[in-house]
């Protein structure tokens, strides 16, 4: 009887987890559309891709709602613990602050180089474009690579340390060290996952905006569960 109750409770936790993931995706989508609107108002729509890349840096925070999906070394799903969530929120807040600084630095640099032709950076690099927001194919490639790097950063310093803290808990420093060690051992896999996440954000928001609400949460949930499984396999071996 108690076993069936645990199963039903676990199922409810998973339902809430997926629901919160969709809500977080909806909030990101809502913010992206506001930014897109105002960029269009000032004829800067081509810079939208830079903001889309920046949204990837919110993944460590969004991934916290997926912790009820974690499977431990005994093959059982982890139940929700509020104290563990608070600890992980503290860890992620530090990461999010650093990511926010990176994002803002990138946005300011792009604005200075491609929009404000009288800025210090524009003069240093001798940037002279014919019109505001005159972006090239190379600019889009640069932002896609940047999005890929942001996805990699988000997984290594945001998602993995919190996941490891739930499974082994080596302490704050130890969790970061374990995350970097795991990423180093599985470089190809991490690069592939980062590419999937970057594509799930940029491609839908740029070319099929409503698809973002389906593709992004699905990809993030799949990558999170795969990281969980791969870490368990790696720790056992």
């Amino acid at each position: 009887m108690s076993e069936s109750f645990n199963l039903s409770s676990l199922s409810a936790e998973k339902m809430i987890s997926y629901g919160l993931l969709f809500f977080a995706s909806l909030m990101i989508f809502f913010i992206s559309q506001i930014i897109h609107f105002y960029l269009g108002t000032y004829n800067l729509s081509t810079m939208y891709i830079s903001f889309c890349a920046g949204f990837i840096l919110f993944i460590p925070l969004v991934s916290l709602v997926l912790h009820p999906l974690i499977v431990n070394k005994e093959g059982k799903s982890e139940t929700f613990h509020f104290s563990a969530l608070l600890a992980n929120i503290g860890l992620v807040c530090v990461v999010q602050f650093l990511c926010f600084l990176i994002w803002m630095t990138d946005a300011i640099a792009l604005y200075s180089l491609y929009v404000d032709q009288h800025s210090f950076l524009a003069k240093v690099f001798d940037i002279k474009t014919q019109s505001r927001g005159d972006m090239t194919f190379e600019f889009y490639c640069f932002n896609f690579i940047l999005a890929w790097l942001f996805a990699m950063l988000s997984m290594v310093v945001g998602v993995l340390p919190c996941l490891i803290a739930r499974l082994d808990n080596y302490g704050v420093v130890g969790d970061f060290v374990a995350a970097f060690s795991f990423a180093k051992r599985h470089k190809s896999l991490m690069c592939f996952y980062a590419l999937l996440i970057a594509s799930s954000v940029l491609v839908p928001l740029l070319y099929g905006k409503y698809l973002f609400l389906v593709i992004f949460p699905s990809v993030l949930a799949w990558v999170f569960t795969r990281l969980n499984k791969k870490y368990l396999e790696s720790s056992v071996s």
Side-chain angles (χ1 to χ4, degrees), residues 88-107:
N88 287 335
I89 287 176
L91 180 64
V92 165
C93 282
V94 176
V95 174
Q96 288 293 160
F97 177 73
L98 295 176
C99 289
F100 179 76
L101 290 180
I102 294 173
W103 185 13
M104 291 305 297
T105 302
D106 170 58

Side-chain angles (χ1 to χ4, degrees), residues 10 13-14 66-81 162-169 224-225 227-236:
L10 183 61
E13 287 181 353
K14 287 186 176 181
L66 295 174
H67 279 218
L69 304 181
I70 292 177
V71 177
N72 59 27
K73 294 180 180 179
E74 287 73 34
K76 299 177 181 179
S77 297
E78 288 287 301
T79 55
F80 177 81
H81 298 287
C162 289
L163 190 151
I164 293 171
R166 287 293 300 272
L167 295 173
D168 289 316
N169 194 12
F224 185 84
T225 53
L227 284 174
N228 177 201
K229 182 178 179 182
K230 193 65 181 180
Y231 176 76
L232 291 177
E233 293 174 352
S234 178
S235 60
V236 170

